[in-house]
Structures are given as C-alpha cells and as structure tokens.
Amino acid sequence: MDYKSNNLKNVLHGFFLALALGVAEPSTTLPLIIHHFAKDVAIIGFFTSLLRGGAIVVQLFAAFYAQSFRLVMPYLRLVFLARFLSWLSIGLAIYFIGDRDPQLTLMMIALFLFLFSFSAGFGSIYFNEILAKVFDQTSRGRSMANRQFFAAVGSILSGIAAGYVLSHYPAPQSYAYLFILSAFLMAFGLVAFSTIKEPPREKVTQKEKSFWEFLRNAFGLLANDKALQIQIATVLLSYSFLFSFAYVILQAKNYIHLTGWLVGGFIIIQMSGAMAGNLVWKHLAPHYKKIMILSYLLAIAAFVLLLILHTKMSFMAAFFLLGMAIDGFRIASMNLLFAIAPENKRPVYIALQNNLTSIGLFFAIPGGFILKYFGYEVLYGWTIAMLLLGLFFARRLRV
C-alpha cells in the first residue's frame, strides 16, 4: 500500500474533523452552549455524552454485516454524508430558533448530536477496518500519531476561531456561526478520506442467519478470550476522565475571569498537550501497552492537580496533561485490539470493544450528579480512583 498517500489522506481527515469538532469541544465550548439554553448543570453531561455516545446502539449491528464485506468504503461515504448534514443542522437550528424557544433549540441540538454520533457507529467499524487494511502494526501507529498531531493543530486553529467569534458576536448567533462554518470545513476532510483506495479483504466470514445468532457468537468470543476481556476493561476505564472533564471549565469560571478568548485558549492548551504527546507516542509505536500506561499516569496527575490547586496556571497545566493523555488512549486502544484480533473476526472484535467501552462515553452523566450533590472534591476523587483501577488493568494487558 502507498503509505505516503494514505497517511496524507488520514491526516487531512483528522485535521478538518478536529477543526470542525473544536467548536463543540465537550470540555469547553459545548458546556457553555448548553448552559446558555439550560441552567441545570446535570443536563450538560447528557449533551456531552450525546456527542460521543450515540454510536453505541449500532456498532454490533454494523459489524454483523461488515464481517462479510470485502469492501466497506462505499458505506463509509454514506456515513460521512450523514455526519455533515447533521452537524450543519445544529447550526441552522440555533440560528433560526435560538433564544426564541430555548427548549425547542435544546431538543434540536440533542436530535442532531445524536444523529451525528449515531452515524459514527457505522463509520467507526468501516473506518477502523480500512485503517487495519492499509497500514501495518507499526505504520498504523505512526500514521495515527501524525493524524492526531495535525488534529491538534486543527483544534488549536478552531480554538482561535472560536475565541474570535465568541468575542465579536453575541450568543447564541455566535454558536450558530461556529457550527455552520465548521460543517463545511469538515467536508474537506471527509472527501479526502473517501479517496483512499481500499484493498478487498482476503478473509471474510459468512454472516450468521440472524442478528441474534451473531450476538450469541460475538459474546461467546468475549467469554473465551481473556486477553479481550482485559483489553476491554482497560479501555473502558480510560474513559474515567469523562466523569469530570465537562465540568472543569465550569469550576474555572468560579475561580478566574473566563473570557471568550480564554475559553479558546484552554482549547489551544489542551491541543498543544495533544501535539506534544503525539510526538512521544509516534516514537513509542508499536509499544502500545507502554503508551496506555503512560496515558493513565498523565490523566491521574491532571486530576490530582485540579483537586489541590485552582489557579489559572493549574487549569492550564491540567488541560495540557489531559490533552496528552486522551490522544495516548486513542492511539493505544485500537492498536492493542488489532494485535489480538484475527483478521476474519476483526469487525466483531472492534464492535465488541467499541460497544462495551462506549458505556464510558456516558460517564459525564453520573459525574454531573456527583458534582451536583457532593461537589468537586468528591467528583475528582472518584475520577482518580477509577483511573487508578484502569491503570491496574493496563499493566495486565496481554500483548
């Protein structure tokens, strides 16, 4: 396979997708957007989870069919179209409804966030299948590090743009402008990845007669594969930072003067951490277990810092460390899975991991209730405890 060409298209997709998603960063701008229309902090966790979690319900269904596909790119292109339209619709809903009917606006945001995430459930299976085909174990990690490095650059540019728009246009019009513009920027990356020449899969599995039979076989694989069980536990607990992440910006608002530029600045700092981390992760590939362990340690350090200090510099340092950790988790989780998954069952392994670990995408919801009733100290303490448990499983990974 042509590494240079495929790497470039993978990087362009990551760059433009990050440029778009930066306007709804779950740790900064999205909580502020939702808080504009609803004052209850508990609902913020629901919306940040929707951005990531709608994909859960369809991944096993997608894998049921994908295991018998030799080519998945035609289906991925349809997913890309659905994601573009749903993201654009969020901006249009905010622009045309906005403050005139806040409840309806929230309902529309929730609907299109769900559709955006739901379509990603299919896309994740197809996207990872293509990555597994066009890169080997070492070059895949390097390409993903390159992708995430330039995605961080895209997020920094997005943070600058968000800071400018939030400072120069009133809410909620500014939120609408961000979504509409970013939808068209996202389209550039979707088109770039769509041009990858996908090789047909040599080993395919004839799909079962029914989806329920497929589910029985899939969970039978899980019950008999100890390495997969440890892998899933490790990845699930890596999402523990989400118990607290969406609420850090609200705590910062209580301690420091939070301007539009500073919100964008936090995005830049987080992405700068991701860039620094990816330079490290690129050189550590293919030692993905080490990347996973280091990412856990960085995340734990960030929340210990947030627990004991509440200055502008401590918030900046925490966002930087979490930026490093989050991208480390991303690189390690799927590459560790590819190392243990047989080719003919790879879509099933991907779907099992993504479905079971996607429970973690909703950790912001219980995190919101912990914050509401017990405060930040208990919330951060709980987050640290869960990350320590994940570190325990990470050290037991079989690779």
Side-chain angles (χ1 to χ4, degrees), residues 346-358:
R346 191 163 53 215
V348 182
Y349 272 63
I350 293 171
L352 280 170
Q353 173 169 297
N354 287 349
N355 270 260
L356 295 176
T357 61
S358 288

Side-chain angles (χ1 to χ4, degrees), residues 139-261:
S139 65
R140 189 185 312 113
R142 291 174 180 168
S143 182
M144 289 306 295
N146 290 333
R147 172 193 172 91
Q148 292 181 176
F149 179 89
F150 285 99
V153 174
S155 294
I156 289 174
L157 295 176
S158 182
I160 296 171
Y164 178 85
V165 172
L166 292 173
S167 297
H168 287 78
Y169 296 95
Q173 288 89 348
S174 56
Y175 305 143
Y177 297 154
L178 287 173
F179 273 100
I180 293 170
L181 175 62
S182 64
F184 289 98
L185 291 173
M186 181 190 301
F188 286 104
L190 302 181
V191 171
F193 196 88
S194 296
T195 61
I196 286 179
K197 294 181 179 179
E198 176 195 7
R201 183 146 54 98
E202 296 180 2
K203 296 180 181 179
V204 296
T205 299
Q206 185 64 37
K207 68 182 179 66
E208 291 82 350
K209 295 180 181 179
S210 71
F211 180 60
W212 300 111
E213 181 183 350
F214 165 78
L215 286 179
R216 287 195 298 270
N217 292 341
F219 284 99
L221 284 174
L222 176 62
N224 294 318
D225 193 330
K226 188 70 174 178
L228 180 59
Q229 294 170 20
I230 296 172
Q231 163 80 10
I232 287 175
T234 302
V235 176
L236 172 61
L237 289 166
S238 74
Y239 288 112
S240 294
F241 73 93
L242 292 176
F243 280 112
S244 302
F245 200 28
Y247 309 105
V248 174
I249 192 70
L250 300 182
Q251 186 193 37
K253 191 175 181 180
N254 293 333
Y255 286 95
I256 58 179
H257 179 55
L258 204 59
T259 64
W261 280 115

Side-chain angles (χ1 to χ4, degrees), residues 214-394:
F214 165 78
L215 286 179
R216 287 195 298 270
N217 292 341
F219 284 99
L221 284 174
L222 176 62
N224 294 318
D225 193 330
K226 188 70 174 178
L228 180 59
Q229 294 170 20
I230 296 172
Q231 163 80 10
I232 287 175
T234 302
V235 176
L236 172 61
L237 289 166
S238 74
Y239 288 112
S240 294
F241 73 93
L242 292 176
F243 280 112
S244 302
F245 200 28
Y247 309 105
V248 174
I249 192 70
L250 300 182
Q251 186 193 37
K253 191 175 181 180
N254 293 333
Y255 286 95
I256 58 179
H257 179 55
L258 204 59
T259 64
W261 280 115
L262 188 55
V263 172
F266 281 140
I267 298 174
I268 293 171
I269 291 166
Q270 181 186 334
M271 292 306 111
S272 297
M275 292 172 64
N278 280 300
L279 292 175
V280 177
W281 310 144
K282 181 177 180 179
H283 289 288
L284 285 178
H287 304 293
Y288 300 115
K289 178 178 178 178
K290 185 179 293 185
I291 293 174
M292 180 66 79
I293 290 172
L294 288 173
S295 298
Y296 265 109
L297 293 173
L298 289 168
I300 291 167
F303 284 106
V304 169
L305 188 62
L306 288 169
L307 187 62
I308 61 178
L309 294 173
H310 308 110
T311 66
K312 185 183 294 186
M313 291 303 298
S314 64
F315 285 114
M316 289 180 176
F319 274 108
F320 185 88
L321 292 173
L322 286 168
M324 293 184 69
I326 292 168
D327 272 19
F329 288 140
R330 287 172 181 163
I331 287 179
S333 60
M334 197 54 66
N335 280 292
L336 285 166
L337 183 69
F338 289 152
I340 63 173
E343 180 185 357
N344 64 323
K345 288 294 181 182
R346 191 163 53 215
V348 182
Y349 272 63
I350 293 171
L352 280 170
Q353 173 169 297
N354 287 349
N355 270 260
L356 295 176
T357 61
S358 288
I359 296 169
L361 299 175
F362 294 97
F363 282 167
I365 296 175
F369 285 100
I370 293 173
L371 173 60
K372 185 174 182 179
Y373 294 106
F374 301 102
Y376 278 100
E377 290 78 10
V378 174
L379 177 60
Y380 289 159
W382 170 259
T383 302
I384 292 167
M386 297 302 289
L387 287 169
L388 286 169
L389 181 60
L391 180 60
F392 168 77
F393 282 103

